[in-house]
Amino acid sequence: MSEQTPTDLQLEFQINGRNMKRRAQPHQRLLDFIRDDLALTGAKEGCGAGECGTCSVFVDGKLVKSCLMPVAKANGTKIETIEGLAGWGGDLTPVQKAFHKTGASQCGYCIPGMVMAATSALRENPKADIEEIKERLGGNICRCTGYTKIFEAVEMARDVLSGEANAAVLEADGAGKSYIGNNVRRLDAPSKVAGRLRYAGDMVMPGMLHMQVLRSPHAHALIKSIDTSEAENLPGVACVITADDVPGEDGFGVFVHDQPIMARGRVRYVGEAIAAVTADDMLTAVRAASLIKVEYEPIAAVFDSEEAMQNGAPVVHDYAPDNIVKHIPIRKGDVEQGFADADLVVEQSYDTQAVEHAYLEPEAGIAYVDHDDVVTVVSPSQNITHHRHMLAKIIDRPINKVRFIMSPVGGGFGGKEDMIYQGMLALSAMKTGAPVRLVYTREESIISTAKRHPARITYKMGLKQDGRITAVSFRMISDGGAYGLSTEGVMRKAAILACGPYNIPNVQIDTYGVYTNNTPSGAFRTFGAMQSQFATESHMDICAEKLGLDPFEFRRINMMQNGAVTHTQQQLGSVSIGRVLEAAEKASRWETGPVSMRGQERADLGGDDTRPPCTLGARFRKPGDDDRQEVA
Amino acid sequence: MMGRKMRGRGMAASWYGIARTATIDRAGAWAELDDGGTGKIVTGVTEIGEGILTLLAQVAAEEMGIKPEDITIGDNDTARSPEAAHAGATRQTYMIGNSVALACRDARAKLDKELAEHWDVEADSIEAFDGEIWSKGSNLKMSMEEAVDICKKRGVVPVGSGSFTAHGTGLDPVDGSGSPWQAYVFGTQVAEVEVDTVTGEVQVLGIWAAHDVGRAINPRGVEGQIEGGVVQGLGQALMEDYQLEDGHTKTHGFAKYILPTSLDIPEINTVIVEDPDPKSPLGAKGIGEPALVPTAPAIMNAIYDAVGVRITSLPATPEKVLAALQAKAAAGQLEAAE
């Protein structure tokens, strides 16, 4: 594919101040060209659809999403990338320094694009106020920071650039008397704000091959046959692997190893890996994957967790004929007696949805077999220790012949705890003897990787008229999807924390993780606790209203104290719930009153510590001018 | 009477356990006081964005008596570094932070012993900070660079190792009894919202987030974790929804799967509460996950305060809020008619 074809483009352009004359292929986007051909990997591909802004660059001074621009259009332009803002070895710009100072970079993957957008905002309007800054950053997604430190950084840079603030504000705070409790600036921030940090998808190795995965279009089907011969015969293809190529004991998962690295005789969800092609370049790999012939026999599927628990429902895994991955029970006291003793019993059900982690860095990795015959996988894995154990078994190698290197993680939130693709990479590297790289597209990442468990919760709480809780019965059914992954642990944490930091003498908690033919659910920041406590804290307000109590007061009546015994009968030491209740109440200037629809009567609304509501498009103003300004 | 734009406030409390659940958790680290008075830390886990590398450098600097920027961290490699297990479960500060502290103390003890003999003082009189080392109550003082040089010339490389354990116990399979964590954190958030009763759109204008994190090693980093958690909670509360139809996703890109962007962000007011952990050298606990827990219920409680509708099914999309408002109005008319 690398030889010149009649359709090759001849491009002349300037990039980061340097004039260049290069050949490019017509299918390339500007992003591909600057990353793959020019090795400028500061601009990232977060979505490939112009929605996330990680690929932002300047073209003739205008902020452009380079994933949307065909490279042909770059001919004759002046391009500026994140690498060109400061230059190698050069001092960081005030915008970059401000991002460093305020802690505006966390995982850093969105940050090059965010720095470009911020730079653009201040170039377009050096006096932009915070509302305009927010609107001008509206095309860039950050999943880690909550944007707050980014806003602070852009305002700080604006003030330094305009001379309103001294440049010294960008520098480090002093040592003081201790480095504990000190706002030491992030040591990894300069590499992130300058676009220098290389994530797995930015890495290249000599002789590196590229992988494309073939995925299931069926939610539940038997695989009758897989014919890879045509794909294998395509020039440029190095190998095609399927489950048959696994030399050891196939299966991974955080608690139960029920997932093969590629479907084995049966697919259980749409997007499950079937086969993987490794080729000289991506185009060949993609073309070869389309030549693999898979014969499926669709079988009955189940998409609802409660239906999956019924007798006669389609069985997702033979080892679990009831489709239950894990049931966690917690019992304390006598819950029936507790309800009998109550003056009031309140029942309600709650639902939470499946949620995508949406880390800006899609899954990526490189595997190779080193000179000492060590199978090495470089990937943004959140659990290299466990992955090493599992992979050693899967490829049947001693554990010291398997090496995992954790590349910088462009956002994880639990979603990179699963060894979902590293097995395919390792196997292909072993088969080809060459380094193999795999980079997911955003669509692949969304359809094939774990989500937050959706949950259906039924809640019953018994109360005395004075506000004391006498009993809780809590039942949560969670859709675990097609494979176990972290479901067992998620059910456990959801159950332990379900009833909140309250003293409840009689408790009955049941959480169930259930197999279905949906996208698997897995680890996601809070590991089930968000779902169960959403129900508890909503229920607390419903009950407070019925009792005519202020929500803080109601929680204080029931909160655990130092030395409390939890729902799992653990005795605690110091318990800080009283302190955090008081701190939030005080900080928010909370106006005490019983729960009801009293918003319009409150005097604590709209303080300086809130933002004004937003009306789209209302914020663009030219300096010194009240007219709205169109912005490209 | 309801106007078009209605405001309200709600709150929610929460709790969370630190490190792995219902099991013994462990992490290891190696440390070396290196030439030039610098420090080297090796441990098996790396940054996922939370700021752990900076935090470990702060801990190592404090324990070794040097500057954070003089710490080099060798991390992230199963073949080159000791096990630190995984980057999750709000365990990095607690598990790796403490193992690094222990490793540095071990290294410093070796240096201090040599220096004590060199100075002819008691080893426990030796203190160090920010690149200088001295013997308390004397005028003996030198740079860490010199101290490391002396130690090595006496034939000792000041290296140390640390392993930190958190003692959780499994749950009883029948009644669930057990001690899943040795450290717990608590949090409370207040949300202020504006509900557009014509479109059903909810905007969150303010969040007040008070969280116990144990000892805060890097307060700005703690704020960053809370702000990020709040915004993920806001996304789940109002807009994010991974949808499937017969197993096929309908939300396969960011045009369909809606995430919070800069215009959705409330003013986030963080209050850090420090209730130090008595069972670990650092006294720190953690904040990565717990920051997200109370946000969605606080927002739902605020919507109720604003317009009197209770959303029990996440997310509270404009369509869902509008339907609830219409149902409430219809019920009100029915009541009036009766």
Side-chain angles (χ1 to χ4, degrees), chain A residues 307-348:
Chain A
E307 279 172 38
M309 292 170 81
Q310 304 296 317
N311 281 333
V315 172
V316 182
H317 289 268
D318 296 338
Y319 91 91
D322 55 1
N323 285 325
I324 291 179
V325 187
K326 193 69 186 179
H327 165 218
I328 302 286
I330 294 175
R331 301 286 182 271
K332 185 179 148 193
D334 179 345
V335 76
E336 288 315 318
Q337 189 59 50
F339 288 126
D341 293 344
D343 297 327
L344 176 70
V345 174
V346 180
E347 296 185 60
Q348 178 65 48

Side-chain angles (χ1 to χ4, degrees), chain A residues 95-173:
Chain A
V95 171
Q96 290 170 318
K97 284 184 180 172
F99 271 62
H100 182 194
K101 177 62 186 279
T102 66
S105 69
Q106 287 189 21
C107 87
Y109 200 82
C110 76
I111 289 300
M114 200 63 84
V115 166
M116 296 303 274
T119 302
S120 169
L122 297 180
R123 283 183 187 175
E124 297 279 343
N125 183 1
K127 291 183 174 166
D129 65 7
I130 182 61
E131 298 305 318
E132 179 172 345
I133 288 167
K134 286 181 181 181
E135 190 127 3
R136 288 188 187 273
L137 297 180
N140 290 64
I141 297 172
C142 171
R143 190 55 158 168
C144 295
T145 64
Y147 300 89
T148 304
K149 300 274 183 271
I150 294 174
F151 300 154
E152 187 187 343
V154 184
E155 287 197 288
M156 183 183 283
R158 175 198 62 203
D159 293 345
V160 168
L161 285 164
S162 70
E164 268 180 51
N166 191 298
V169 301
L170 301 170
E171 300 307 319
D173 297 339

